């Protein structure tokens, strides 16, 4: 797998964009390592891809669902064989360490097998009729062509959360990866090709936000599934609303970890290191706010500072690396900007706060693990998504205050509480405003067969993963069969006034 796959994939054919224009993709840890030039696709390319998907829908949508499941199982098998190769290329392209990208691929494998199994139980309902000799049922129908637009931080897992259930339900797909992870997207689509997926069932168009916009606004795209920032998601939601399209938005987060005075601090420490600095803090579910009881605040912060300062930063394909770079130069600037904002607001930089330097870090976008203390709930650094290895620490004196601080935010994706008091843990499950709550575990981590998604500014009410995503990718059709042999008028014949 040495040559990059640098083309679009439309109707089963790898091809350049109509205009021939391209953009450059580089390794964020070793900037001199150019992964390739990828097509900057325009309206014409998107139109070709949507037409191919529409044509393929005629047969794919009618195939028995378990037969579609067989394709998904083959895809899962090939990803299993290629797990290490895929992970190496993903790390090279987006920076997180190899052990993390292997987990990313495994999540996609789990999703493939899970979606395949669901093709045997795309249940509808049968319910009694209110009339005699009449049969009522609902069945699921595919929607049509689905536009899939994803972020770069889970370049394989997140698009497959969308595509596999979409395909299982009989839809076809046009996929636009992030321009920071085009190669990972292409390698994923190559797996589909090698699994024998019929031409046009999944099409790949590379490009920027303009390509994504053309996909969202294409009149023959029936549904759009998006993962990315809240800002972009709002634009997509407006366009889809205007065009009466179904849309699912998975957006930003600012996830709290509440640590109460009775918590097991060793467990908390492990959870914080993984939650706050895993994926260099660039996860929608990253633990970005530590809300800690005053009785254990100083002890925990001092242990955390020591542990975080020992995190080994470097190129993720080197074995000892624990934390990779951030994705691009603009991300470094954004993070640095928030350090300044935090200082101006009165926060203390307890650790880090600068670009990471040293041997092996000269040619990449590396930032130090950073901890800000003396943060109060209404500071910008406590409310806005920084999307880097930055943890802000807020001190509280009660459970009630902790929940109020946790909920004082426009996002609501993931959350965590560490306590050994079972009653408090159960209260928190209901009190914290978030789509996910972990008890005694950090905010990150998702299992393929469980619903995933957020409330408030993080989402628009849909869920990925689990059984709920199959509702997004199907239309319900209600069917009445009247075998009475006469005209029966519901709500008229069966009610005596
Ligand atoms: P962006 O919103 O910048 O981009 C996401 C995708 O949308 C990219 O493919 C992008 O293309 C595309 N895009 C940009 N503008 C438009 C537009 N107007 N119309 C259609 N598509 C468009 O997010 P990032 O890539 O920076 O990802 C980071 C964000 O994603 C964070 O906020 C993070 O929290 C969130 N995220 C949420 C997850 C969740 O499940 N809730 C999971 C992972 C990340 P291009 O790349 O070319 O700009």
């Amino acid at each position: 797998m040495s040559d990059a796959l640098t083309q679009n994939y439309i109707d089963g054919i790898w091809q350049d964009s109509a205009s021939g224009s391209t953009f450059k993709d580089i390794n964020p840890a070793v900037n001199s390592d150019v992964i390739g030039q990828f097509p900057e696709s325009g309206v014409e390319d998107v139109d070709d891809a949507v037409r191919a998907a529409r044509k393929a829908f005629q047969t794919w949508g009618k195939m028995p669902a378990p037969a579609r499941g067989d394709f998904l199982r083959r895809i899962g098998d090939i990803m299993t064989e290629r797990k290490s190769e895929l992970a190496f290329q993903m790390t090279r392209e987006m920076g997180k360490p190899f052990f993390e990208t292997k987990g990313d691929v495994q999540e996609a494998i789990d999703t493939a097998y899970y979606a395949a199994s669901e093709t045997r139980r795309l249940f509808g309902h049968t319910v009694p009729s209110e009339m005699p000799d009449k049969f009522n049922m609902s069945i699921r129908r595919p929607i049509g062509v689905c536009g899939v637009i994803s972020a770069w931080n889970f370049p394989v897992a997140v698009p497959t959360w969308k595509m596999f259930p979409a395909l299982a339900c009989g839809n076809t797909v046009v996929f636009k990866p992030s321009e920071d992870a085009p190669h990972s997207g292409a390698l994923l689509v190559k797996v589909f090709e090698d699994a024998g997926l019929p031409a046009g069932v999944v099409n790949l168009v590379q490009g920027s936000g303009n390509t994504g916009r053309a996909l969202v606004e294409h009149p023959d795209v029936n549904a759009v599934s998006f993962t990315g920032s809240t800002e972009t998601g709002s634009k997509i939601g407006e366009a889809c609303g205007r065009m009466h399209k179904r849309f699912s938005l998975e957006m930003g987060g600012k996830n709290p970890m509440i640590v109460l005075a009775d918590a097991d601090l060793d467990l908390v420490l492990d959870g914080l290191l993984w939650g706050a600095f895993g994926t260099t803090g660039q996860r929608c579910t990253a633990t970005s706010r530590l809300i800690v009881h005053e009785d254990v605040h100083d002890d925990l912060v001092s242990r955390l500072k020591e542990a975080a300062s020992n995190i080994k930063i470097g190129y993720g394909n080197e074995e000892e690396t624990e934390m990779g770079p951030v994705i691009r130069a603009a991300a470094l600037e954004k993070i640095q900007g928030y350090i300044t904002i935090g200082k101006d607001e009165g926060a203390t930089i307890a650790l880090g706060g600068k670009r990471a330097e040293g041997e092996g870090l000269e040619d990449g976008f590396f930032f130090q693990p950073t901890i800000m203390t003396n943060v109060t709930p209404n500071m910008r650094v406590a409310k806005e998504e920084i999307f880097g290895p930055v943890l802000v620490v807020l001190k509280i004196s009660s459970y009630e205050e902790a929940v109020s601080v946790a909920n004082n935010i426009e996002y609501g994706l993931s959350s965590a509480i560490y306590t050994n008091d079972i009653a408090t843990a159960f209260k928190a499950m209901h009190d914290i405003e978030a789509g996910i709550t972990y008890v005694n575990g950090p905010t990150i981590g998702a299992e393929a067969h469980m619903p995933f998604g957020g409330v408030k500014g993080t989402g628009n009410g849909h869920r990925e993963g689990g059984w709920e995503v199959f509702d997004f990718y199907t239309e319900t059709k209600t069917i009445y069969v009247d075998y009475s042999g006469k005209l029966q008028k519901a709500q008229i014949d069966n009610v005596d006034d």
Side-chain angles (χ1 to χ4, degrees), residues 6 26 77 79 86 200 231 271-272 300 330 339 440 443 480 482:
T6 56
I26 62 165
D77 292 345
M79 284 194 297
L86 286 167
E231 192 188 349
L272 274 173
L300 182 59
I339 304 299
N440 292 333
T443 55
Y480 299 105
D482 189 327

Side-chain angles (χ1 to χ4, degrees), residues 149-154 158 161 176-180 207-213 216 226-230 232-233 235-236 250-253 283-284 328 385 387 413 452 458 464:
I149 300 173
S150 57
W152 50 270
N153 58 347
F154 283 84
V158 165
W161 284 1
K176 205 251 7 127
S178 162
E179 65 188 317
D180 288 312
S208 65
N210 287 335
T211 313
R213 194 164 55 227
V216 169
F226 167 80
T227 293
S229 63
T230 299
T232 307
K235 289 184 201 156
I236 291 177
E250 288 299 337
M251 303 175 284
R283 287 180 179 230
C284 48
R328 59 181 104 91
E385 188 184 45
F387 220 57
L413 182 52
F452 178 94
T458 295
E464 310 221 82

Side-chain angles (χ1 to χ4, degrees), residues 71-109:
F71 282 101
L72 293 171
R73 248 184 307 278
R74 274 206 289 284
I75 288 169
D77 292 345
I78 297 176
M79 284 194 297
T80 305
E81 283 159 23
R82 295 186 191 166
K83 186 169 167 182
S84 291
E85 290 171 82
L86 286 167
F88 178 88
Q89 293 296 341
M90 289 156 69
T91 291
R92 180 179 168 220
E93 181 169 55
M94 56 67 65
K96 67 186 175 189
F98 182 64
F99 68 89
E100 287 195 40
T101 44
K102 276 206 301 190
D104 194 315
V105 180
Q106 187 58 48
E107 204 167 323
I109 294 167

Side-chain angles (χ1 to χ4, degrees), residues 320-396:
E320 65 280 11
T321 296
E322 293 171 322
M323 190 177 98
V326 296
I327 189 68
R328 59 181 104 91
L332 275 183
E333 277 166 36
K334 179 178 169 191
I335 297 164
Q336 197 68 69
Y338 273 108
I339 304 299
T340 308
I341 290 168
K343 280 187 197 157
D344 291 349
E345 288 179 313
T348 305
I349 309 303
L351 182 75
K354 296 199 183 83
R355 196 171 174 155
E357 288 166 349
E359 206 188 322
L361 306 182
E362 308 83 354
D363 195 22
F365 306 128
F366 295 99
F367 202 86
Q368 297 171 334
T370 297
I371 301 169
M372 279 193 216
T373 51
N374 292 319
V375 173
T376 53
N378 287 325
M379 290 182 181
R380 283 183 62 192
V381 290
K383 299 183 88 145
E384 296 174 16
E385 188 184 45
I386 299 174
F387 220 57
V390 180
L391 177 73
V392 303
V393 185
L394 299 108
K395 200 191 287 187
I396 45 88

Side-chain angles (χ1 to χ4, degrees), residues 240-263:
C240 288
R242 220 172 32 246
M243 299 179 79
H244 313 301
K245 292 185 184 193
R246 184 178 294 204
F247 59 100
S248 165
L249 306 174
E250 288 299 337
M251 303 175 284
K254 183 84 174 173
N255 310 289
M257 179 197 282
I258 295 175
V259 176
L260 297 181
D262 68 335

